Amino acid sequence: MRELSGIYIIWLRDVKKFLRDRPRIIGSVAQPALFLFVLGTGLASSFQVFGSNGGKDFLYFMYPGIIAMTVLFTSFFSAMSIIWDREFGFLKEVLISPISRVSIVLGKNFGGSTIAIVQGSIILLFAPVLKVPITFLSVIKLLPVMFITAMAISSLGIALASRLKTMQGFQALTNFFLMPMFFLSGALFPLNNAPQWMIFMARINPLSFGVDAMRYVLTGDRTLQLFPFYVDIIVIVGIIIAMTLTGIFLFRKQE
Amino acid sequence: MESREKTNNNILEVKSLTRKFNGLTAVDGVSFNIREGEVFGFLGPNGAGKTTTINMICTLIKPTSGNAKLYGFDIVKERRRVRNCIGLVFQDPSLDDKLTAMENLYFHSRLYNVPRETINKRCGEVLKMVDLYDRRNDLVRNYSGGMKRRLEIARGLIHYPKLLFLDEPTIGLDPQTRNKIWDYIVQLKSKQKITIFLTTHYLEESEICDRIAIIDRGKIIALDTPSNLKKMAGSDSITVSSDNNRALIDFLKDNFNINIEYDEGNEIKFEVKDSSSFIPGFIKNCPVRILSISARHSTLNDVFLNLTGKDLRDSDASKRDRLRSGMRMRGRLRG
Ligand SMILES: Nc1ncnc2c1ncn2[C@@H]1O[C@H](COP(=O)(O)OP(=O)(O)OP(=O)(O)O)[C@@H](O)[C@H]1O
Ligand SMILES: [Mg+2]
């Protein structure tokens, strides 16, 4: 009971702060919109590689990737708010409370994942404008996939943030870890014709599985897949378990 | 709340607690006990190891060696139970300033599993106590430094801790706010019967403590009640000037056995055990006309000076303090 109360309040704080942060909400819609409408539309018109009506295919390919991007970045950055909390001293307030480290990690994880699903779902509203065909059923299937992907990335982010002491460390992590992972995840461009090393990188990249799974449930198109759907789900759940345990371990191991 | 054994009225027993940071010994074999209901003070200059000691007792960092027991609970092995009994007001800011005061308190209450139906009542109580009730729905970022500090103290009390730690509760505040906070603390002690462990390097403040440990370079160098400590420093100093200092010196020598070398200055300084009983007799029998007389009671600073040969209020420390309080306001300093 006490632990649930703790998980709930840590979750609530993140969600409340998100809803209160207008610039963040606007940014979270504006950035994917920019990617889709400018980059996506632009690339679609010059890409003719996708068969007869290549233009349409490209947005069809990219759209799930952008939803995945939103989920990935949102959940990753939410986890990184731990570094802010440490910097501003608030983390100590949480750490001396009698709540277990398990609940701290889970509360943080649920908070980030909730925000990520909200943001990812906002992108769904662009579909009619972009004339990307999605069905109601695929949206229903997408939500749980978004959620576990967000959980996986959050737990990874939390484990990393538990060790990071400064904002500089976070920036370095974003530039040298998150961005390359994102580019090699298959979110922006198809990896089918990419060089072997790139496909290899994509296959060991934790982000790829979320992108892959989301694209599959939205398009139902097997030819775009790096892995079978069930492999995606198993790996994602595996990442959640492994990274949550790592995060809890790292939080327990105090100075 | 639960507690294990209670053989005596020590609620905290600290035994040769030590903490090293890569070669630097921040806390060096500190031992002391805190009794139920007392206000216990740690007085020491910057870097003495006050915060590090608190961090160890509050389970934020592990001791390198030594141990402490709070209500019989081991601070390393039974962290959860220890955390349950304590409230801590950190030296550095620890509020979420994007939440309102009420939300900060609510968050805390839920973490400490305060019963849902009493949360509002308790938040109201503590907010009224620190005079922030009217501002309870303001974002904390719009609070002044003193208001934030008061809110932190309020927050530390919500879950009715048995032992409240206050790490430099008045650092960086103006004298008026400082007094107010000290009033709250005195009130807490008398009305709520909370045991308080506080640290400070303001001498005046440490006088409200029942007992004080003077700490320097990680070691406790004295531990007693403020008045006993001052007795340790020995004497009060008296400064007199008269129309005939030579005669005055002879008078002091003959009557009080005080030996002073004569020099050309027009003031004479000497020390006595207790100035308040000395002065009336001295003035009554003095053969020369006294132009001025002043007495200075020994202070804890004298105790510190005696024990370490350093001044507690060295300018270096106060400069750092000022710098620190400036940073505190910006809320960026980490402990
Ligand atoms: N995390 C840390 N890493 C390295 N050294 C540390 C750490 N924390 C404290 N120290 C060192 O330990 C010593 C004691 O620091 P501490 O913060 O306990 O002093 P303090 O008595 O609280 O001083 P102040 O009055 O300035 O708050 C200092 O020399 C400090 O530099
Ligand atoms: Mg300190």
Side-chain angles (χ1 to χ4, degrees), chain A residues 3 13 20 87 98 254, chain B residues 59 80 96 103 108 332:
Chain A
E3 297 302 327
R13 167 171 174 257
R20 210 166 270 178
E87 193 115 331
Q254 28 164 227
Chain B
T59 75
R80 296 274 296 277
D96 186 336
E103 285 166 342
H108 186 91
R332 300 277 329 214

Side-chain angles (χ1 to χ4, degrees), chain A residues 46-99:
Chain A
S46 54
F47 262 121
Q48 294 302 325
V49 284
F50 288 98
S52 54
N53 60 345
K56 198 166 247 158
D57 280 346
F58 188 71
L59 265 184
Y60 172 76
F61 172 87
M62 190 181 177
Y63 181 72
I66 295 301
I67 295 180
M69 172 189 94
T70 309
V71 170
L72 303 178
F73 279 71
T74 309
S75 45
F76 191 78
F77 289 143
S78 296
M80 290 298 140
S81 66
I82 290 175
I83 303 176
W84 283 110
D85 285 346
R86 178 177 281 120
E87 193 115 331
F88 288 101
F90 191 78
L91 189 64
K92 284 186 292 189
E93 148 82 356
V94 181
L95 290 180
I96 54 149
S97 78
I99 215 78

Side-chain angles (χ1 to χ4, degrees), chain A residues 164-205:
Chain A
L164 282 178
K165 303 286 185 240
T166 61
M167 249 15 235
Q168 283 86 336
F170 162 65
Q171 259 137 24
L173 195 71
T174 307
N175 291 334
F176 298 111
F177 182 75
L178 186 66
M179 291 316 276
M181 278 206 329
F182 170 60
F183 288 139
L184 292 170
S185 70
L188 290 181
F189 49 88
L191 290 159
N192 308 42
N193 299 325
Q196 277 305 314
W197 68 267
M198 219 181 213
I199 295 179
F200 173 74
M201 295 300 284
R203 282 174 179 273
I204 57 166
N205 178 351

Side-chain angles (χ1 to χ4, degrees), chain B residues 113-126:
Chain B
N113 209 23
V114 174
R116 288 273 283 288
E117 54 294 351
T118 60
I119 291 180
N120 273 326
K121 191 173 134 271
R122 283 205 209 171
C123 290
E125 260 170 40
V126 291

Side-chain angles (χ1 to χ4, degrees), chain A residues 1-10 12-13 16-17 20-21 84-101 165-166 251-255, chain B residues 19 21 58-62 79-80 83-84 86-88 90 92-96 98-100 103-104 106-108 110-113 116 139 155 330-335:
Chain A
M1 186 53 223
R2 124 162 298 161
E3 297 302 327
L4 283 183
S5 168
I7 294 174
Y8 164 75
I9 198 67
I10 291 170
L12 183 68
R13 167 171 174 257
K16 238 185 197 169
K17 283 175 73 166
R20 210 166 270 178
D21 195 348
W84 283 110
D85 285 346
R86 178 177 281 120
E87 193 115 331
F88 288 101
F90 191 78
L91 189 64
K92 284 186 292 189
E93 148 82 356
V94 181
L95 290 180
I96 54 149
S97 78
I99 215 78
S100 75
R101 313 293 104 156
K165 303 286 185 240
T166 61
F251 265 102
R252 281 218 181 122
K253 207 177 87 182
Q254 28 164 227
E255 282 194 66
Chain B
R19 172 71 203 212
F21 292 109
C58 293
T59 75
L60 277 173
I61 58 175
K62 276 186 189 152
R79 289 189 226 146
R80 296 274 296 277
R83 289 179 186 138
N84 235 331
I86 57 174
L88 168 52
F90 296 97
D92 300 315
S94 63
L95 295 164
D96 186 336
K98 295 210 176 95
L99 296 179
T100 66
E103 285 166 342
N104 268 286
Y106 186 77
F107 183 86
H108 186 91
R110 292 299 294 261
L111 279 189
Y112 284 78
N113 209 23
R116 288 273 283 288
L139 287 183
R155 184 177 67 180
R330 267 174 276 129
R332 300 277 329 214
L333 197 74
R334 274 160 296 144

Side-chain angles (χ1 to χ4, degrees), chain B residues 21 24 26 45-52 91 168 201 324:
Chain B
F21 292 109
L24 176 118
N46 287 130
K50 304 182 292 292
T51 302
T52 307
Q91 179 171 359
E168 316 244 0
H201 55 262
R324 183 167 225 174

